[in-house]
Amino acid sequence: MTTLKGKTALVTGASRGIGRATAVALARAGAHILAHYGRSAQEAESLVTEIRANGGLADALSADLATTQGAAMLAEQVRLIVGDRLDVAVLNAGISKAARIADYTLEDFDNLFATNVRGPFFLVQQLLPMLGEGSNITVISSLGARTVVGKPGVDSPSILAYASTKGAIETLVKNWAAILGPLGIRVNAVAPGVIDTDMSNFTKTEAGREAALGMQALKRLGKPEDVADVVAFLASDGARWITGASIPVDGGSKL
Ligand SMILES: NC(=O)c1ccc[n+]([C@@H]2O[C@H](COP(=O)([O-])OP(=O)(O)OC[C@H]3O[C@@H](n4cnc5c(N)ncnc54)[C@H](OP(=O)(O)O)[C@@H]3O)[C@@H](O)[C@H]2O)c1
């Protein structure tokens, strides 16, 4: 499949997990990949090497998207490579945190919102001059945006602050879609359930694995590639009439 041949695609947080798999899927579809990373330089470079070895085009770009200047710094690096045309942006970089309500700190809360909401908000602002008719943005949300995940209780760790960042991003997706639609720019979210990555380290325990499988209709752990294939579809012309949507990619979680 070469549905994205000749297109440029930025993937944030492409060094690991869902972002890496998405970069590989978009490269397989023919896109020139701008693989963003935060700290994992070696992993990002090995991704770029892998894509190039398979005949694709890729560059690695670095910026800490939790900082106030991160989004602008990344957009400038993107501009230096693509000029005035970016076709696909996948806003994937994110962090998570589980804690009891009593244990959350202001710093935890601010880090979560800076990385998962403020970063994407200003990245879209800064990328806008490079987006145009036919461009599209896909944001990685979460099952947690629409449902309570885990065991609710004051003595149990919960991801409520993380989940609220994903609620905020889904609201932004609808607003971006409405505002940018008249320019021919589509904006969608995908909302993964539990996906086996560094972030979901609880799936490495038997209890965590059972909890994940217990809420899913399909009885295996989700893989980064399960999400990446849906993002690649949303980025393609096959999804030309989809905007403002959030697509669950969760093996039928909490039906
Ligand atoms: N795994 C799940 O079960 C799951 C479920 C639903 C939604 N999601 C969402 O899917 C996305 C990817 O998650 P994942 O599971 O693939 O996570 P992951 O394996 O922990 O990877 C996170 C990625 O985000 C980047 N990142 C984090 N903070 C950053 C910062 N301040 N600046 C720049 N880059 C930063 C990391 O880059 P470096 O390592 O280079 O710093 C890394 O590439 C996230 O938005 C997450 O909320 C995940």
Side-chain angles (χ1 to χ4, degrees), residues 12 65 68 70-72 75 91 93 113-128 131 137 139 165 168-169 171-173 175-176 179-180:
T12 69
L65 293 177
T68 52
L91 310 187
F113 272 83
T115 312
N116 296 0
V117 184
R118 190 180 68 190
F121 182 91
F122 285 101
L123 189 55
V124 169
Q125 178 200 64
Q126 297 295 312
L127 292 175
L128 210 45
L131 303 174
I137 300 170
V139 180
T165 66
I169 207 79
T171 300
L172 283 172
V173 163
N175 281 269
W176 280 324
I179 294 167
L180 304 180

Side-chain angles (χ1 to χ4, degrees), residues 13 15-16 18 38-40 64-65 92 141 162 166 193 195 197:
S15 47
R16 297 183 281 124
I18 293 169
R39 296 182 185 150
S40 307
D64 182 347
L65 293 177
N92 161 80
S141 173
Y162 166 78
K166 296 302 187 180
I195 304 294
T197 68

Side-chain angles (χ1 to χ4, degrees), residues 26-39:
L26 295 176
R28 202 176 300 129
H32 174 173
I33 303 300
L34 281 65
H36 159 266
Y37 66 95
R39 296 182 185 150

Side-chain angles (χ1 to χ4, degrees), residues 24-105:
V24 169
L26 295 176
R28 202 176 300 129
H32 174 173
I33 303 300
L34 281 65
H36 159 266
Y37 66 95
R39 296 182 185 150
S40 307
Q42 251 186 319
E43 287 84 347
E45 288 303 340
S46 93
L47 167 69
V48 164
T49 305
E50 180 184 316
I51 292 172
R52 288 180 182 167
N54 287 319
L57 289 171
D59 295 283
L61 314 175
S62 163
D64 182 347
L65 293 177
T67 62
T68 52
Q69 290 309 308
M73 281 170 54
L74 176 57
E76 179 55 16
Q77 294 176 66
V78 171
R79 199 186 58 75
L80 288 173
I81 296 173
V82 306
D84 59 2
R85 176 69 188 192
L86 180 65
D87 299 293
V88 175
V90 181
L91 310 187
N92 161 80
I95 55 168
S96 179
K97 164 109 193 166
R100 295 183 317 145
I101 284 184
D103 296 332
Y104 275 98
T105 64

Side-chain angles (χ1 to χ4, degrees), residues 179-198:
I179 294 167
L180 304 180
L183 305 176
I185 301 167
R186 296 185 295 108
V187 188
N188 293 292
V190 298
V194 175
I195 304 294
D196 192 5
T197 68
D198 295 343

